[in-house]
Every structure is written in structure tokens, then in C-alpha cells.
Amino acid sequence: MRTPEPGVVSARDGQRAKVYDAEQLVRGVFDRADEHGNRTVELYGSHLTLPIERRFASVESVQVYTDRVLSLNWVRAQWDRAATPVRVRSRAGTAAAHYEAADAVLAVPLHTGATAWALRELVILHELAHHLEPAAASVAPHGPEFCGRYVELVDGIIGPEAGLVLRSSMLGCGVSLS
């Protein structure tokens, strides 16, 4: 979820539900692989070995990860906003992580009961994809440009197999990508 800059009218977010549906499918694939210890999945007739998705224990560990992602040479070369630091904070409630563009803040819910659904790499990369949006852009928060950035981050950081699973799930859910 992205909080728009004050005074900025953002485009309609018509893909939001489709993006979230695709992400839920991908997280399910990774969760099942972790539960069953079998990292090989079949995707459209091809067998892929899923890479490990990082999980986090605290706001501090998410902050270290975020700083490292934004300092990667290829990320800095691709997106000017990578030079703008992100501050990670805990978020009250458990429903969603979100990005606050006005202050470059990534807010994540922590452990609730036995779950820490937001303290995982796919969720953090989603929020970083919002952060990397060009400052002057007035596009839909989950539009094709965002989705392209998100898939590129997942592909380059988690691995090409994860990027393929995400891209395929998005396309299967009717998401447009740039």
C-alpha cells in the first residue's frame, strides 16, 4: 500500500486486487516449498527449483536488508530513488505493510500470534518497488510500471525463478506489466 504525497492526485489503482491475488499465490508457492522441504515446482510444464526467500525477525533486520538492496550497484543504476534512504518502522495492526512516500518510510506489521506474514522478502521488495517510483510519476500505485519494477527486483534479488513465478502469476491474474 502506498500513501500518496500530500496534494498529489494519483491515478486510479485498478490493478491492486489483481496484484495482491498474484502475490498471495506466489507466497503460497514459497510457503508450501518451505513446509514440505521440496523446492522444485512445476510451472507451465517446466520444473523450477525455487530459491530461498529471506525471512526477517525484526524491524532492524528489515532496515539492514532495505539499506543493502538500495545500495546494490544495479539498483542504483536503474532507479534514481535508490539514493534516497528508507526508514523502516513497525506498524500497528496486522492487515498490511505500506510505504509512506512523503517521508520514505516502510511500515511493517510485526509478529502476531505465530505469524509474521509481512516479515518476508517478497513483501519488503513490494514496498521497495513503491519507493523506487520516480518522484514526478503520477501513475497508478499498482500499475504496469510498478509491476515491472517489482518483478525486476524479485528477479534480481531473490532469483530468476522467483521472478518467473511472480511474472506468471501476475499475468495469470490479469495484471498488466511494463
Side-chain angles (χ1 to χ4, degrees):
M1 186 181 300
R2 182 173 161 246
T3 306
E5 298 277 350
V8 172
V9 177
S10 60
R12 185 177 179 281
D13 199 5
Q15 290 199 136
R16 181 178 178 205
K18 292 175 185 177
V19 169
Y20 289 173
D21 288 347
E23 285 181 317
Q24 188 169 347
L25 289 170
V26 174
R27 286 193 307 264
V29 168
F30 274 86
D31 289 345
R32 282 188 298 285
D34 290 343
E35 288 170 16
H36 301 297
N38 182 4
R39 306 221 57 83
T40 303
V41 297
E42 185 177 334
L43 182 68
Y44 298 110
S46 294
H47 292 274
L48 304 172
T49 301
L50 293 177
I52 302 294
E53 178 195 10
R54 291 169 185 90
R55 305 292 177 118
F56 306 100
S58 65
V59 166
E60 295 78 20
S61 61
V62 174
Q63 183 69 65
V64 168
Y65 175 80
T66 300
D67 293 343
R68 287 183 178 165
V69 167
L70 293 177
S71 70
L72 292 169
N73 290 338
W74 70 269
V75 172
R76 290 215 168 204
Q78 181 79 12
W79 299 288
D80 292 338
R81 292 268 305 154
T84 303
V86 169
R87 184 175 64 85
V88 179
R89 70 169 178 84
S90 63
R91 179 182 194 275
T94 61
H98 71 265
Y99 176 71
E100 300 164 2
D103 298 318
V105 172
L106 194 160
V108 291
L110 301 178
H111 294 81
T112 49
T115 66
W117 73 269
L119 295 176
R120 61 188 303 164
E121 200 166 18
L122 287 165
V123 172
I124 303 309
L125 291 175
H126 173 118
E127 300 309 329
L128 285 176
H130 285 303
H131 171 70
L132 294 172
E133 180 177 301
S138 62
V139 296
H142 295 93
E145 297 83 2
F146 163 82
C147 293
R149 250 188 333 274
Y150 181 32
V151 169
E152 194 167 343
L153 283 170
V154 169
D155 183 277
I157 295 170
I158 300 177
E161 299 84 359
L164 179 60
V165 171
L166 179 60
R167 176 185 265 90
S168 299
S169 296
M170 285 183 162
L171 293 172
C173 288
V175 172
S176 295
L177 297 146
S178 66

